[in-house]
Amino acid sequence: MTKVAVVTGASSGIGAATARRLAQAGFTVYGAARRVDRLAELERDGIRPLPLDLTDDEAMQAAVRKVLDEQGRIDVLVNNAGYGSYGAVEDVPLSEARRQFEVNVFALARLAQLVIPTMRAQRSGRIINVTSMGGKFATAFGGWYHATKFAVEGLSDSMRQELAPFGVDVVIIEPGGIKTEWGGIAAESAQERSGDGPYADRVAKIGSRLGSDSFGSDPSVVAKAIERAATARRPRTRYAIGAGAKPLIAARKVLPDRAMDAMFARGLG
């Protein structure tokens, strides 16, 4: 029986690479995104486009219903969609903080709620939540982004324990620096909100690094890890993958807070 996977944020970057990778592995893949026009290339590779606005509950219900009506099952949900909005906590409007939680946390949780009954009935399934190495430690000007990723880490750990008796695995993917649109969006938002005033110098430095293509792994390395998580008989609970992920997460485990602060400060000159 062909297994069915739903990948969110499939219009570019990690999501697009993952959709292709799972399709090559034999899954029937639905690539979900708000910008459906950008799914045309994936459709040519046999991936089924799935319109999905993560801020619209009716749209999320309709998307899951469409997959179940057409396939009768969902075996893998890859919660990849999300974004990083940067700026000093002092400067970021709470409306933007709430929107980031809505997309990065609550939409992820809602999609999980919608697929869990089917997976429980099947007594099998994988929910793969893409967090970040930034769910293990925090850096300046990414406070709200890091808050969402810390939240997904904790949420995923609880879900894993709740769903284990039903044969459903919950796996966390913790990418490091990846060459996607994410860095440019984060840098632009940091400059917009905190590019003037007391934080200007540091924001200019962090913005140049976030927006640089010189640092980062190709999205394919994350897609490969997600494929392993989707197909392994007994997947690991976490996969740290991509530039900087493993050494920085290891450093967080052993270094005191002040030492981590100093390390990141040196990185900003």
Side-chain angles (χ1 to χ4, degrees):
M1 183 177 295
T2 301
K3 291 189 174 183
V4 178
V6 176
V7 181
T8 69
S11 61
S12 64
I14 293 171
T18 297
R20 288 191 173 96
R21 185 104 193 177
L22 292 179
Q24 291 166 4
F27 285 83
T28 296
V29 180
Y30 285 79
R34 179 174 53 85
R35 300 173 293 184
V36 182
D37 57 302
R38 298 184 62 174
L39 296 174
E41 289 186 20
L42 290 177
E43 193 171 8
R44 288 194 287 271
D45 293 333
I47 294 155
R48 304 181 184 213
L50 190 65
L52 181 59
D53 182 346
L54 292 175
T55 63
D56 183 340
D57 188 74
E58 290 186 4
M60 286 189 279
Q61 293 184 56
V64 171
R65 189 162 55 244
K66 175 180 171 64
V67 177
L68 291 175
D69 287 346
E70 293 179 359
Q71 305 297 330
R73 62 187 296 118
I74 295 176
D75 298 282
V76 175
L77 169 64
V78 181
N79 274 315
N80 164 71
Y83 75 106
S85 181
Y86 268 48
V89 172
E90 177 183 355
D91 296 331
V92 177
L94 289 183
S95 59
E96 171 56 27
R98 292 187 182 98
R99 181 176 182 274
Q100 199 160 183
F101 264 88
E102 189 67 40
V103 173
N104 291 4
V105 182
F106 297 125
L108 173 150
R110 181 59 174 144
L111 284 174
Q113 288 180 332
L114 292 169
V115 304
I116 284 170
T118 295
M119 291 182 174
R120 276 196 296 100
Q122 296 167 177
R123 298 199 70 79
S124 67
R126 300 276 162 88
I127 297 173
I128 301 173
N129 292 331
V130 180
T131 63
S132 167
M133 64 178 178
K136 293 296 194 184
F137 57 82
T139 58
F141 308 110
W144 291 112
Y145 170 75
H146 289 292
T148 66
K149 295 306 183 179
F150 271 68
V152 173
E153 291 270 338
L155 184 69
S156 300
D157 284 339
S158 290
M159 289 170 57
R160 184 181 65 251
Q161 297 171 52
E162 292 167 2
L163 296 176
F166 303 104
V168 179
D169 277 306
V170 179
V171 180
I172 299 168
I173 306 293
E174 298 168 332
I178 308 296
K179 294 178 180 177
T180 68
E181 296 176 345
W182 185 94
I185 293 170
E188 184 178 331
S189 61
Q191 187 63 37
E192 177 185 344
R193 297 198 172 91
S194 300
D196 296 316
Y199 304 104
D201 289 346
R202 286 188 293 160
V203 164
K205 291 175 181 177
I206 199 170
S208 66
R209 298 192 180 198
L210 287 170
S212 173
D213 289 332
S214 62
F215 174 79
S217 302
D218 190 84
S220 62
V221 303
V222 184
K224 185 176 180 180
I226 292 174
E227 181 194 359
R228 290 200 300 270
T231 57
R233 185 183 65 83
R234 185 176 174 80
R236 288 153 48 186
T237 59
R238 281 172 168 78
Y239 293 79
I241 194 75
K246 290 180 180 177
L248 285 171
I249 290 173
R252 171 68 282 188
K253 292 179 180 178
V254 298
L255 291 180
D257 292 342
R258 298 292 187 189
M260 288 292 289
D261 291 352
M263 181 176 69
F264 291 132
R266 281 195 300 272
L268 290 178

